[in-house]
Each structure stands twice: as structure tokens, then as C-alpha cells.
Amino acid sequence: MTLRLRGVAKDYTVRDKTTRALDGVDLDIARGDFVCVVGASGSGKSTLLSLVAGLLLPTEGEVLLDGAPVSGPGPDRGLVFQAGALFPWRTVERNVAFGLELLGLGAAERAARVEWYLKETGLADVRHSLPRQLSGGQRQRVAIARALAGEPAVLLLDEPFGALDVQTKEDMQVLIRQIWADTGTTVLMVTHDVEEAVFLGARVVVLASDPGRIAADVDVALPPGRGLPVKREPEFLALRARIEDLVREQHRGHLDRLAGVE
Ligand code: ADP
Ligand code: MG
């Protein structure tokens, strides 16, 4: 599945005041790609993801999945947010099964899928637990397993590890790379963490603010089978510094414009 954004703009209107959150966004994501979007807070990262998810519709331009305009949410896109929005009264396995019930899969197929994704995400032992009995990292694993179980063509992640401690976050990064390698799914992930973006992404897209737009689209030329130690390698550190500079530059330009300095 290819995902294509063409001249996408999004306006929000609050009490008669309209602000443009995104403008002129063109982006092509091929099947199996892993694209991370970084940018300062308010640069339109979540708006971009919500447009692809079909939770919002563009004011201008279009979002195309295999050439067809996105007009709403669909099972071809799996979504994970920062705070995993699990069903508190459902056990882990019933949370993972939720989307499959909606898809109308038969009981045997459902059970097989749930089994596979519980294993893939390391949740088999807590399958009968309720979300409140889990750690933050485990809860995010459930959210990821639930999104994956429907076998979406595109996995959409909005700062999914933003609330986790560093150790758990790194475990989750390794997990996501493993899942990507195992399933070949296309991933579009928003993060404000540049180290995370460079570690995970095959491409890193940098957004400029006000209005949000694409300032840079950088290929990550690191080995596909990379593990956590790559974060200490000179190539990694150089790329990370370069992208952090881009984000900082965009943010400084934004602050200058706010202050009326050109
Ligand atoms: P990010 O995820 O990069 O922090 P967002 O996409 O959440 O950025 O927001 C981009 C801009 O749009 C910000 O200026 C934000 O205040 C504005 N915005 C986001 N959501 C809404 C909304 N529902 N109503 C009005 N303005 C919004
Ligand atoms: Mg956001």
C-alpha cells in the first residue's frame, strides 16, 4: 500500500478564528517504509497523523491510500497514541481481540491472531490481566498488539513511548523494529525524540511550525538490522545532531516570526 499526501493543508477554526496547522504537505510513503516525523511541539505532527488516520479531513489537498482518497478511519490503518486508550474492563487478550470482533473474523481465526500478536509483543503471560494491573510499558504493548492484530497496511504511531521511562522506551523501540522486520508493515510514527526517530526510521521528516510544513526529509543510511548499540556509533550521532539542528533551526525561525523579527 502506498500512502500519498498531495498539497495537504489543515485549518482549525476556534471561535471564528482560523489557524492553519498544516500547509502544502506533499509526502509519499512506499509500502514497507518506516517514516518518522519530528518537529517542535505545535508543528502539526498529530494533525498530520490524524489526517492519515481519517480522524480529520484536509482543508485542501488529499490523502491517498493506493490512489483512493481517505474519507474516514479504516481497518487498513492501525493507530497507537501516547496513552494507549485501552478498554479498562477488558483483559489483555480481549483488548487485542477488539478490532478483530469488529472485522467479523471467526472465533478460530481470531484466537490464532490474538495468540500470535500476544507472543510477538511479549504479553502471553499477562493475557488475563486487566490494564490497571499492568506497567506503562505493558499497556503500550497491548495498544500495539491491538493495532497490529488487524494486520493493517499502515501502522500509525503518535508519540507512543513518550510517557515511558528510558529503559522501557528502548525495549519498545527494539520491539517495534522487530515487528517491522517480521511483518513488513508500513510505519508512520510521530515523535519529538530525534534519537528515537533516527534509531527507528528509514526516513526522518522534519516539520517546520506555523504553519506546519515539511522542512526536510532525510534518509537514514544505517544498517537495517541495527540494534541499540548503534546509538553510540559516529554515523548515528552525526545524523542525530544534524536533525536536531534542523528541528532547532525551524523552531528558532518560528520564535523569530512570533517576535516580529525577520
Ligand atoms: P504537534 O502534534 O506537533 O504538537 P498538533 O498537530 O497537535 O501539533 O497542532 C498543530 C497546531 O494546530 C497547533 O498550533 C495546535 O494548537 C493547533 N491545533 C491542534 N488541534 C487543534 C484543535 N482541535 N483545535 C484547534 N487548534 C488545534
Ligand atoms: Mg502531538
Side-chain angles (χ1 to χ4, degrees):
M1 160 134 356
T2 39
L3 171 62
R4 185 158 284 170
L5 283 79
R6 283 280 165 269
V8 168
K10 178 66 192 174
D11 293 342
Y12 289 108
T13 303
V14 179
R15 293 188 202 146
D16 298 337
K17 191 177 177 295
T18 298
T19 44
R20 179 146 289 201
L22 279 179
D23 196 33
V25 173
D26 291 309
L27 186 63
D28 275 8
I29 300 178
R31 178 199 208 112
D33 210 348
F34 197 137
V35 177
C36 288
V37 178
V38 298
S41 174
S43 59
K45 302 184 296 296
S46 293
T47 300
L48 178 67
L49 210 75
S50 300
L51 288 164
V52 174
L55 299 172
L56 294 173
L57 294 176
T59 307
E60 288 171 16
E62 44 186 9
V63 179
L64 302 163
L65 272 173
D66 276 344
V70 165
S71 58
D76 49 0
R77 283 148 292 147
L79 207 50
V80 180
F81 298 106
Q82 179 168 349
L86 302 175
F87 300 106
W89 59 88
R90 282 183 170 239
T91 62
V92 166
E93 65 179 8
R94 296 208 54 240
N95 263 283
V96 175
F98 176 75
L100 305 182
E101 292 166 19
L102 292 184
L103 283 176
L105 289 189
E109 167 85 21
R110 233 160 49 206
R113 287 252 199 123
V114 167
E115 195 57 39
W116 172 266
Y117 287 101
L118 286 176
K119 282 221 180 81
E120 182 82 10
T121 50
L123 291 168
D125 292 345
V126 292
R127 60 194 314 142
H128 300 302
S129 300
L130 290 168
R132 65 180 153 75
Q133 298 170 307
L134 304 176
S135 68
Q138 285 173 322
R139 280 199 288 270
Q140 279 311 73
R141 280 173 199 263
V142 179
I144 290 166
R146 186 177 59 188
L148 286 171
E151 304 194 335
V154 187
L155 185 61
L156 302 172
L157 307 165
D158 193 352
E159 311 217 21
F161 315 141
L164 304 177
D165 62 87
V166 176
Q167 203 55 61
T168 309
K169 182 176 175 152
E170 291 205 319
D171 292 346
M172 299 298 286
Q173 291 170 352
V174 170
L175 173 69
I176 281 290
R177 276 202 72 87
Q178 187 59 49
I179 286 167
W180 182 58
D182 289 351
T183 61
T185 186
T186 308
V187 184
L188 178 59
M189 173 169 175
V190 162
T191 173
H192 60 256
D193 180 340
V194 173
E195 182 190 72
E196 176 166 276
V198 174
F199 177 64
L200 291 175
R203 277 162 70 193
V204 179
V205 169
V206 179
L207 292 189
S209 306
D210 203 21
R213 59 208 183 280
I214 295 179
D217 187 340
V218 182
D219 281 321
V220 178
L222 294 169
R226 56 200 185 246
L228 290 170
V230 80
K231 292 185 178 181
R232 310 278 170 269
E233 298 288 330
E235 303 92 295
F236 183 95
L237 294 168
L239 190 54
R240 173 182 167 176
R242 189 177 137 214
I243 294 172
E244 279 170 350
D245 284 347
L246 283 167
V247 172
R248 206 171 294 129
E249 242 168 66
Q250 295 309 326
H251 188 56
R252 200 174 305 123
H254 169 58
L255 293 180
D256 287 350
R257 280 191 300 281
L258 282 181
V261 182
E262 275 308 317

